[in-house]
Amino acid sequence: MEGPLPYPERVEKADAERFLELSIRKGWPVAALRIAPAADRHAVLAVSALYAAEAEKAGKRGSDGVVRFLENAGSFLKGTVDDLLALARETGWIDREGRLNAFVSPGLSTGRVEAEIEFAEVLRSKRRLEARAALQKKNREVNSKPSGIVPEEPGDEAFMREALSEAKQAGEEGEVPVGAVLVMGGKIIGRGRNAPIRLHDPTAHAEIRAIREAAERLGNYRLEGSTLYVTLEPCPMCTGAIAEARVERVVFGASDERKGAFGGAVNLGSSPAVRRSILVTKGVLAEESLVLLKKFFRSKRKGD
């Protein structure tokens, strides 16, 4: 450690800039300054001297300024006022009579230092948030499967016929003939058919009823890896439920230009609004589904 200097130390702009870089440290011991690089030690002592100088100018003791330093700009340091004053005496920042032995360059102030630190912290916080958001976006891109239209797979027609069976039963019960089955691992784990009129429940669409049955059977609200077969293109309400249930693929028969949410009226299957990428296969046994619907509404118009 160098001995006391015969001439006053100078508090320069470069000290404030270096101090700003050091302020990101948390819990840095004052004692560690004795073995720190000279530029780092000089920056810390210079800014503490700035506080001491302003205190003396206001008619207070320099040590009062050091107290304020450790409470504000120097709060990242771990140590007491006595520790810092002892180091200042050792390095000549305080003379033998206990007076501040430093000269502050014009334009420097404690307020300016604190403002710079606050701005830097806000900027660092913003960058951390941006970095976290970028990482989350990257993770979503890596973990999510590509959305969009996929071709029909073997077995799709067989499961769609099961959905058509549910749709026929719905029509016989006076409901719009829409049916659905939910499949996982090649097995049906949930069945549903339209029943909003019979159950007095506007949410009792075939898709939602199939999802509810499957979730209850599995004891899990997430149905990852499952495929939903439904005779009519799902509406926005059902699409939201499909996304929340983590259904992987939707296979539907007839398109719905009025309410369909997979391209019929709107396209929510790959929308950020549902926060899921849902694979879609369209038009499986579409003609059979349309025949059921047309027959039902023709019957309603005739008053049957």
Side-chain angles (χ1 to χ4, degrees), residues 60-289:
K60 300 178 181 179
R61 296 177 302 173
S63 58
D64 293 332
V66 176
V67 170
R68 183 165 171 267
F69 165 74
L70 289 175
E71 292 175 346
N72 292 277
S75 61
F76 65 93
L77 293 167
K78 183 179 181 181
T80 66
V81 174
D82 289 339
D83 292 336
L84 195 54
L85 289 174
L87 180 61
R89 280 192 293 269
E90 291 174 24
T91 52
W93 287 85
I94 298 176
D95 64 20
R96 292 180 178 84
E97 285 72 36
R99 294 171 302 190
L100 181 64
N101 186 40
F103 173 80
V104 178
S105 296
L108 289 177
S109 69
T110 59
R112 180 175 177 180
V113 171
E114 290 174 10
E116 290 288 343
I117 290 174
E118 183 178 359
F119 176 76
E121 183 56 39
V122 169
L123 188 60
R124 284 193 290 265
S125 178
K126 181 181 178 182
R127 286 173 177 171
R128 284 194 295 268
L129 290 174
E130 289 174 347
R132 187 180 299 120
L135 180 60
Q136 290 172 343
K137 180 181 179 182
K138 183 177 180 181
N139 287 339
R140 285 195 298 269
E141 290 173 351
V142 170
N143 295 328
S144 65
K145 295 183 178 180
S147 62
I149 306 301
V150 293
E152 186 175 336
E153 297 180 4
D156 282 351
E157 284 196 11
F159 287 123
M160 186 60 79
R161 292 198 181 282
E162 293 291 331
L164 281 166
S165 177
E166 294 290 332
K168 290 174 184 176
Q169 191 169 342
E172 292 169 1
E173 294 169 348
E175 303 280 357
V176 176
V178 179
V181 295
L182 195 66
V183 175
M184 183 182 290
K187 296 181 180 179
I188 295 175
I189 59 172
R191 290 177 176 270
R193 59 182 180 272
N194 269 9
I197 299 172
R198 184 167 56 88
L199 298 180
H200 312 294
D201 180 0
T203 70
H205 287 199
E207 302 94 317
I208 291 179
R209 295 187 72 200
I211 288 171
R212 284 174 177 166
E213 182 177 289
E216 185 174 356
R217 177 174 294 179
L218 296 182
N220 192 340
Y221 72 102
R222 289 185 173 177
L223 306 172
E224 293 177 316
S226 63
T227 299
L228 178 70
Y229 294 84
V230 58
T231 58
L232 181 66
E233 182 181 356
C235 69
M237 177 184 72
C238 292
T239 301
I242 290 165
E244 290 298 321
R246 306 293 197 270
V247 173
E248 181 177 4
R249 186 167 72 110
V250 172
V251 180
F252 66 84
S255 295
D256 186 352
E257 294 181 358
R258 292 177 60 250
K259 296 181 180 179
F262 286 92
V266 294
N267 188 8
L268 298 180
S270 58
S271 170
V274 299
R275 302 184 66 182
R276 298 293 299 171
S277 296
I278 304 170
L279 302 177
V280 182
T281 301
K282 300 181 178 183
V284 176
L285 298 183
E287 188 60 33
E288 286 88 336
S289 299

Side-chain angles (χ1 to χ4, degrees), residues 171-172 174 294-304:
E172 292 169 1
K294 289 178 179 179
K295 182 179 178 181
F296 174 80
F297 286 113
R298 189 183 304 117
S299 174
K300 286 294 182 181
R301 284 194 294 272
K302 289 182 179 179
D304 295 345

Side-chain angles (χ1 to χ4, degrees), residues 10-47:
R10 295 183 65 87
V11 182
E12 306 281 2
K13 182 180 179 182
D15 293 311
E17 292 173 350
R18 180 57 186 157
F19 183 84
L20 184 63
E21 296 175 9
L22 297 174
S23 66
I24 63 172
R25 303 186 184 186
K26 303 297 180 184
W28 192 25
V30 171
L33 288 170
R34 288 183 167 82
I35 57 173
D40 293 354
R41 182 169 58 250
H42 195 279
V44 172
L45 290 171
V47 177

